[in-house]
Amino acid sequence: MAETVKEPVMREEIKMKKRISIKETINNMISNLTEENLMVIQVVVAVFIGLVTLVLLWRLVRSSSKRQGVLLLGLCESGKTQLFSQLCHSTDVISVTSIKESSAQYTVGKKSLTVYDIPGHERIRYTLFDKVKKLARGIVFVVDSSSIQKDVRDVAEFLYTALCDGVVQSGVRRVLVVCNKQDLTLARAAPLIQKTLEKEMNLLRETRASQLQSVGEGGNNNNFLGRQGQDFEFSHLRPIKVEFVEAVAKGNDKLGPITNWLKQLA
Amino acid sequence: MLDFFAVITKGGLVLWYFEDAAQQLKTSINAINALIRNVVLQERGGENIFSHGSLALKQHVDNEFDLLFVAVYQNILQLSYVDKFLLDIQREFTNCFREQLRQGFYNERFNFGTEYKRILKQAESLTKIIKAEPRKPRTFEESEKSKKTVNSMIKHRGGEQVQTKKPSKKKEGKSKKQECNNNSKGSQAEEVGEDEDEEEERENEDLVVNESAVEENKEDDVPALNNNDENELDEETLRRNREKMFVKRSTPKAAKVNSTKSPKPTKVKKGKKGTVWDLGGKDSTHLDYSSKAGDSTRFSLRPDFLPDQSQIGTLSGNVRDMDMTKEESKKKTSSGGMFSMLRGLVGGKTLTEADVTPVLDKLKDHLIGKNVASDIAGKLTQSVGDQLKGKVIGTFEGVTSTVRKTLTNSLVKLLTPGRRLDILRDVMEAKNSGRPYTMAFCGVNGVGKSTNLAKITFWLIENNLRVMIAACDTFRAGAVEQLRTHTHHLNALHPPEKHHGNTMVHLFEQGYGKDASGIARHAIDFARKNNFDVVLIDTAGRMQNNEPLMKALAKLIMVNEPDLTLFVGEALVGNEAVDQLVKFNRALADHSTLAKPQKIDGILLSKFDTIDDKVGAAISMTYITGQPIVFIGTGQTYTDLRRLDVEAVVNALMI
């Protein structure tokens, strides 16, 4: 009898203890919160805000490095620096072979593009090209119309390397080939230059595909341009649109096609 | 007297120019273009004057504003003031137009004419004054005689000591000795004082050693000097000369018997003696040096061999592995980078020579450790130093990282080919003109010419081109057989049935001992008649200082005018590469009768698989010739042929 009486008492005690323990723990937690954990919570909140800010910043930076650039490429002495100063500063300059790249803003209406003039010398052109190719929205390739027959292999090699580059294939949609120096007597017309280049690139893609493997780990950057089985044509390079225009870089009058193209690009 | 002067930006714009005579602009621009292509872009900062036709050009680069100052004048005038003049103009120009240059406004008119004329007049008048002064004779300190030791000037003739020093020089000799004493004492004190810097100690030791040696010499001679009196010497020589004259006079036609000369040994003619051979007269029993059967059991110990009992039992079991101590990775740079970052936070820093030199020295040693030839590493680091003098670095860049980046850029520029390298395209071009494309291989002995020739043949026949091999190695035994074996193998890999019945590889040989250039000429004619696309000419290996062989090679190249002259060099070579290439190029240029001799057009770097990351030979070879590396050989099978990857090689160098 005493045991059964004790049991309900004990059960009640146990229940009360439980209730008390729960209450106690909650009270304990609140009291703990107010002393030590407050610091921890502060730190956690600060880190969270910092992360959010970083993510926003990263989004902003990524969007600001959107492609806004136009690259001026071409062989040495083809007239890139002259064209560059005409477009961006509207002046004629006396120029020598460039050693460093130069850049300037070209405004058309409300929008502006950054024009990069890449030196044409064989030793530095590819390193400088690699530096700015991810900022490129369009490429202007300047060709010396009077010496095209002599230089066709070099021109084609540079143009081919520029076009089959991975970054260019993914980002650049428009390429303008400017047949410069039309004021010279031996200058060829744009359609002829286009045909000559197409024939040359046709041969070039075969030899480039059969090139030796490189000694480093990097893979060959020799994509096959155009369509297999058919002769190479620039129209096969969809979605990249390649156009040919004629121009004289000296003087401000013959630059119409180039400015139109830039307007369309911006 | 300067024909033309121009201030040019690195982007190619001519900011300001001055032409002395009319119509200088076009020729000067052409000359400046040639200067830029040859000098500035090829990292050859050392040579100061560049000559283009009849014009000489001198340039100076301003690294702060990225400007180039060029002076053009006639080659025959040797103007001495141009260097200082360039520096003065640079200072004036940057002072006058500092703001515009900093903001990059290159399109304004730069009015610099009056200052230019003023500085030019100053420089010219200064040279006139210097020229007008009569040349003073050198002081004793400047002359070479004061630098010689006394001992070297004593001429000993037949045991007599003839001294030619005057008493005044004796005094100066003594004073110099005193100076030496003081110096050595001073340096000894320094040596004791400084224990930290090892280099300085070593230097001081060397100084002490040298000066003590000089001191000893002087000590030896001072007693000698004291003994002999001047007047006695002169009298003695006078006496001897008089003697000689009398002897000459008295015996006009007699043989000039010199009493001082020892008598010649007279040839005594004996009867003919029979020759004694070393092994003559002995038979096989005498010549048998094998140890007899009975003696083999007992072997003689070396008299000095003491058996070391402690070694017994130590090498039982497997042979232990080598103790690989890991090299200390260059983690120091990260800590240096941290400090330089903090230092750099202060603001944009202008680099001076003192900042840059320690980093450059370390990089030079690093390059030499990677098997770059030592003087080329020196020249490279010097040109990097010139590029960085006066440059302003940004806030978060350290000196070390800037120098490393500049050196990496220079190396990339050096290794990048300066012309289009597409052999297959050139072969097609030659085929269109109806002639075969010829490639000649030259190099020293044993570098891998024949092996790499076979590899290139395999690559060409894989691309459906018919190849003729000209065996112009008519000296080395087995050279022709080696090429014949390769031909058989390659024809077995690409049999004629697969290629419309054409044999893809054909060997043109005329045995041994014939003239190599004649064989090459016949091979090219044969190839042209039988529609072969490529002719590969294998030459004998030759040392670069072997004059007749170099002449023969130059004749082969001059007569046959190959489209590509490949120098085969092994990647293991170190400083020797410089010597080989310089001498090969010089021989090809000197022994050719053409106005524009054909030199080495390309380099084949063989045995590349034997070096891990010590790829410095590539740098040495491209620096010397300026020509690109066309192929890289990485093994001995037909597929071990590669193209150069500039980024990979430079990364391997700079790690």
Side-chain angles (χ1 to χ4, degrees):
Chain A
M1 277 295 277
E3 289 174 6
T4 51
V5 167
K6 271 187 193 165
E7 278 181 25
V9 171
M10 271 170 62
R11 257 186 254 129
E12 276 186 8
E13 280 180 1
I14 291 170
K15 274 191 199 159
M16 271 174 61
K17 271 188 193 163
K18 275 193 192 159
R19 266 188 254 127
I20 287 171
S21 61
I22 293 173
K23 264 196 192 163
E24 271 181 7
T25 47
I26 293 176
N27 284 338
N28 283 342
M29 264 172 62
I30 291 175
S31 62
N32 278 346
L33 269 175
T34 52
E35 287 161 12
E36 299 159 1
N37 292 7
L38 197 60
M39 285 253 283
V40 173
I41 286 190
Q42 281 175 343
V43 169
V44 164
V45 167
V47 166
F48 179 69
I49 291 177
L51 278 174
V52 166
T53 331
L54 275 176
V55 165
L56 285 174
L57 264 177
W58 176 67
R59 285 256 180 85
L60 269 174
V61 165
R62 206 164 55 127
S63 64
S64 73
S65 74
K66 213 171 47 172
R67 291 155 178 269
Q68 287 281 358
V70 177
L71 304 186
L72 275 178
L73 302 172
L75 291 189
C76 252
E77 320 270 316
S78 53
K80 298 181 292 300
T81 311
Q82 185 72 260
L83 188 64
F84 174 74
S85 58
Q86 267 297 344
L87 285 176
C88 299
H89 305 296
S90 315
T91 48
D92 266 344
V93 279
I94 308 165
S95 63
V96 294
T97 313
S98 325
I99 313 169
K100 233 175 82 149
E101 75 280 11
S102 16
S103 65
Q105 294 287 95
Y106 178 77
T107 44
V108 51
K110 266 186 266 173
K111 295 180 248 178
S112 84
L113 295 166
T114 323
V115 183
Y116 297 94
D117 172 25
I118 309 287
H121 196 268
E122 292 85 357
R123 287 185 193 250
I124 49 179
R125 60 161 87 136
Y126 290 118
T127 40
L128 293 173
F129 174 61
D130 286 338
K131 262 204 281 182
V132 287
K133 60 186 177 185
K134 48 183 165 339
L135 303 171
R137 200 194 288 185
I139 291 181
V140 175
F141 198 92
V142 185
V143 173
D144 184 350
S145 317
S146 58
S147 67
I148 183 70
Q149 301 291 32
K150 204 169 26 98
D151 296 333
V152 62
R153 276 169 280 156
D154 300 319
V155 171
E157 193 236 359
F158 193 8
L159 188 57
Y160 194 93
T161 318
L163 285 176
C164 72
D165 188 86
V167 178
V168 168
Q169 293 241 318
S170 64
V172 172
R173 285 292 163 260
R174 305 196 56 173
V175 174
L176 182 71
V177 180
V178 174
C179 307
N180 201 8
K181 305 198 186 177
Q182 287 290 328
D183 52 341
L184 294 178
T185 48
L186 290 173
R188 305 274 193 269
L192 179 63
I193 296 183
Q194 180 171 356
K195 261 202 206 68
T196 321
L197 277 177
E198 280 176 353
K199 257 191 279 179
E200 185 60 34
M201 310 258 284
N202 200 15
L203 293 170
L204 206 56
R205 57 186 186 172
E206 305 288 339
T207 61
R208 290 284 281 250
S210 330
Q211 248 186 2
L212 294 167
Q213 213 184 338
S214 73
V215 75
E217 298 302 319
N220 270 346
N221 198 5
N222 292 323
N223 308 328
F224 191 87
L225 290 183
R227 299 197 194 127
Q228 287 271 11
Q230 288 180 4
D231 276 346
F232 176 82
E233 277 173 46
F234 281 110
S235 50
H236 295 173
L237 291 175
R238 300 262 163 206
I240 300 179
K241 193 159 154 224
V242 184
E243 295 159 45
F244 279 75
V245 294
E246 299 177 7
V248 180
K250 270 207 187 117
N252 216 348
D253 40 351
K254 298 269 182 65
L255 295 179
I258 305 177
T259 44
N260 284 339
W261 184 84
L262 284 169
K263 219 180 288 180
Q264 290 174 12
L265 188 70
Chain B
M1 289 195 275
L2 285 179
D3 279 352
F4 189 81
F5 190 92
V7 181
I8 307 170
T9 64
K10 277 196 182 168
L13 301 173
V14 174
L15 292 181
W16 178 83
Y17 68 92
F18 178 82
E19 50 181 350
D20 206 359
Q23 285 166 356
Q24 290 284 343
L25 187 62
K26 200 126 206 284
T27 45
S28 306
I29 296 285
N30 287 339
I32 294 176
N33 279 332
L35 169 80
I36 293 178
R37 286 185 82 106
N38 282 321
V39 176
V40 178
L41 282 167
Q42 281 199 18
E43 300 297 311
R44 284 166 207 277
E47 296 114 50
N48 222 348
I49 308 184
F50 175 76
S51 56
H52 181 254
S54 65
L55 298 171
L57 294 104
K58 275 203 179 178
Q59 40 100 358
H60 176 74
V61 183
D62 177 26
N63 297 312
E64 196 187 344
F65 298 109
D66 283 338
L67 297 174
L68 186 66
F69 296 85
V70 184
V72 184
Y73 54 96
Q74 292 295 321
N75 212 350
I76 43 175
L77 305 169
Q78 282 154 357
L79 302 177
S80 53
Y81 60 81
V82 185
D83 290 315
K84 188 170 169 301
F85 179 67
L86 283 169
L87 290 172
D88 289 335
I89 292 281
Q90 177 206 354
R91 207 179 26 239
E92 261 318 303
F93 194 84
T94 47
N95 281 337
C96 288
F97 302 109
R98 189 167 285 272
E99 275 316 304
Q100 286 136 307
L101 290 171
R102 191 166 293 158
Q103 289 167 10
F105 290 155
Y106 293 137
N107 301 304
E108 307 185 356
R109 289 211 53 91
F110 289 85
N111 292 320
F112 194 60
T114 43
E115 279 95 9
Y116 173 82
K117 285 197 188 114
R118 178 175 56 86
I119 299 177
L120 183 61
K121 213 183 296 184
Q122 228 175 8
E124 283 178 353
S125 55
L126 200 63
T127 42
K128 274 201 205 118
I129 294 172
I130 292 177
K131 259 195 223 166
E133 269 179 19
R135 267 189 76 199
K136 281 205 307 219
R138 294 174 290 190
T139 62
F140 176 67
E141 275 78 20
E142 289 173 20
S143 77
E144 282 186 16
K145 211 165 191 183
S146 67
K147 300 198 178 89
K148 288 189 196 167
T149 63
V150 175
N151 213 9
S152 66
M153 283 194 276
I154 300 174
K155 289 190 186 148
H156 299 270
R157 205 177 289 150
E160 293 187 28
Q161 281 202 355
V162 181
Q163 311 251 355
T164 49
K165 278 185 97 58
K166 297 199 186 127
S168 58
K169 287 191 183 147
K170 214 197 303 180
K171 278 193 215 144
E172 286 186 282
K174 270 198 193 148
S175 65
K176 268 206 172 331
K177 182 189 149 207
Q178 283 171 357
E179 272 180 2
C180 275
N181 268 331
N182 293 339
N183 280 345
S184 62
K185 277 192 201 141
S187 61
Q188 274 171 358
E190 280 177 49
E191 198 186 346
V192 166
E194 292 168 354
D195 283 328
E196 307 120 42
D197 237 335
E198 285 184 347
E199 275 183 28
E200 258 189 287
E201 265 191 345
R202 255 185 274 128
E203 269 182 4
N204 283 340
E205 280 175 7
D206 286 341
L207 260 176
V208 168
V209 166
N210 284 339
E211 282 172 7
S212 59
V214 172
E215 229 183 313
E216 280 173 9
N217 280 339
K218 289 205 189 252
E219 277 176 355
D220 282 340
D221 300 325
V222 165
L225 271 173
N226 286 333
N227 284 340
N228 287 331
D229 202 354
E230 204 192 290
N231 295 328
E232 275 186 14
L233 302 179
D234 282 349
E235 278 192 4
E236 228 179 78
T237 49
L238 270 174
R239 190 173 53 78
R240 268 195 292 112
N241 287 341
R242 262 191 234 117
E243 256 186 30
K244 273 195 207 155
M245 201 177 64
F246 282 141
V247 164
K248 244 198 252 177
R249 274 231 200 115
S250 56
T251 59
K253 277 191 185 171
K256 296 178 185 124
V257 178
N258 250 341
S259 53
T260 51
K261 271 197 190 160
S262 55
K264 281 193 199 148
T266 48
K267 256 194 183 168
V268 178
K269 274 215 164 172
K270 309 181 211 157
K272 202 171 180 182
K273 265 171 77 179
T275 36
V276 179
W277 300 105
D278 264 346
L279 298 173
K282 301 189 187 160
D283 55 4
S284 51
T285 48
H286 285 271
L287 292 171
D288 184 12
Y289 291 107
S290 60
S291 55
K292 302 290 180 279
D295 293 336
S296 60
T297 50
R298 229 186 326 134
F299 58 90
S300 54
L301 280 175
R302 275 172 38 201
D304 55 342
F305 178 67
L306 300 161
D308 186 4
Q309 301 290 337
S310 63
Q311 285 179 341
I312 300 176
T314 48
L315 270 189
S316 59
N318 284 335
V319 179
R320 267 181 275 122
D321 283 338
M322 216 171 74
D323 199 5
M324 296 287 283
T325 49
K326 284 212 165 68
E327 282 179 26
E328 290 168 4
S329 54
K330 310 239 162 129
K331 288 286 182 196
K332 280 192 214 162
T333 50
S334 63
S335 64
M338 272 276 285
F339 283 124
S340 57
M341 242 174 70
L342 294 173
R343 231 188 298 129
L345 277 175
V346 180
K349 192 165 128 60
T350 311
L351 288 173
T352 60
E353 227 172 287
D355 298 328
V356 168
T357 315
V359 186
L360 278 180
D361 286 339
K362 232 186 291 175
L363 280 174
K364 178 176 149 192
D365 290 336
H366 172 80
L367 283 178
I368 293 178
K370 293 277 186 179
N371 206 19
V372 180
S374 50
D375 45 336
I376 292 187
K379 281 189 210 161
L380 270 175
T381 47
Q382 192 184 25
S383 87
V384 168
D386 291 336
Q387 280 180 35
L388 289 172
K389 232 187 296 181
K391 192 169 156 129
V392 179
I393 54 174
T395 43
F396 281 102
E397 297 167 17
V399 178
T400 316
S401 62
T402 316
V403 176
R404 280 182 79 96
K405 228 189 306 175
T406 319
L407 184 63
T408 312
N409 283 341
S410 302
L411 290 173
V412 169
K413 238 198 289 183
L414 195 64
L415 282 178
T416 313
R419 62 164 204 263
R420 190 179 48 94
L421 273 186
D422 197 348
I423 307 277
L424 296 173
R425 182 71 191 87
D426 293 339
V427 171
M428 277 193 219
E429 192 64 27
K431 214 173 15 170
N432 288 340
S433 341
R435 59 176 181 85
Y437 185 84
T438 44
M439 232 193 271
F441 292 73
C442 64
V444 300
N445 313 67
V447 291
K449 292 183 287 300
S450 306
T451 313
N452 283 295
L453 187 147
K455 288 188 226 166
I456 292 178
T457 313
F458 182 69
W459 174 58
L460 290 170
I461 62 178
E462 290 264 290
N463 284 302
N464 233 341
L465 296 166
R466 296 184 69 206
V467 179
M468 160 152 301
I469 303 178
C472 296
D473 184 354
T474 51
F475 175 68
R476 201 194 79 199
V480 180
E481 280 73 22
Q482 177 183 15
L483 290 175
R484 194 173 292 136
T485 311
H486 278 305
T487 313
H488 286 321
H489 283 167
L490 291 167
N491 276 326
L493 288 169
H494 279 261
E497 299 81 51
K498 270 206 266 174
H499 295 274
H500 314 292
N502 296 327
T503 39
M504 295 308 281
V505 186
H506 186 270
L507 175 68
F508 187 93
E509 52 97 0
Q510 286 182 351
Y512 293 94
K514 303 273 173 53
D515 175 32
S517 57
I519 298 180
R521 195 155 38 91
H522 292 316
I524 296 174
D525 288 337
F526 189 87
R528 190 180 309 128
K529 289 200 194 99
N530 292 292
N531 296 325
F532 279 89
D533 304 316
V534 187
V535 177
L536 301 178
I537 303 174
D538 185 23
T539 62
R542 59 203 75 211
M543 290 307 290
Q544 66 269 23
N545 47 16
N546 192 331
E547 194 57 37
L549 290 183
M550 295 309 290
K551 251 194 245 184
L553 178 69
K555 179 176 160 222
L556 190 152
I557 302 284
M558 178 182 73
V559 166
N560 296 297
E561 288 176 359
D563 294 299
L564 188 66
T565 311
L566 274 180
F567 176 83
V568 184
E570 41 183 27
L572 301 152
V573 75
N575 289 317
E576 181 68 6
V578 174
D579 196 46
Q580 282 177 11
L581 273 169
V582 163
K583 295 226 173 97
F584 264 81
N585 257 340
R586 199 185 301 158
L588 288 179
D590 288 346
H591 298 305
S592 168
T593 56
L594 303 170
K596 259 186 81 178
Q598 209 179 359
K599 300 215 249 184
I600 289 174
D601 294 324
I603 299 170
L604 195 157
L605 201 59
S606 65
K607 307 184 189 169
F608 200 75
D609 51 329
T610 56
I611 53 173
D612 290 329
D613 56 344
K614 296 201 192 304
V615 293
I619 299 284
S620 319
M621 292 195 205
T622 33
Y623 188 91
I624 295 282
T625 52
Q627 302 295 337
I629 294 182
V630 184
F631 297 109
I632 292 188
T634 53
Q636 303 203 29
T637 68
Y638 289 138
T639 52
D640 291 322
L641 190 65
R642 298 272 181 274
R643 199 169 40 97
L644 177 70
D645 184 359
V646 179
E647 292 288 337
V649 168
V650 174
N651 280 340
L653 261 180
M654 292 301 289
I655 284 188

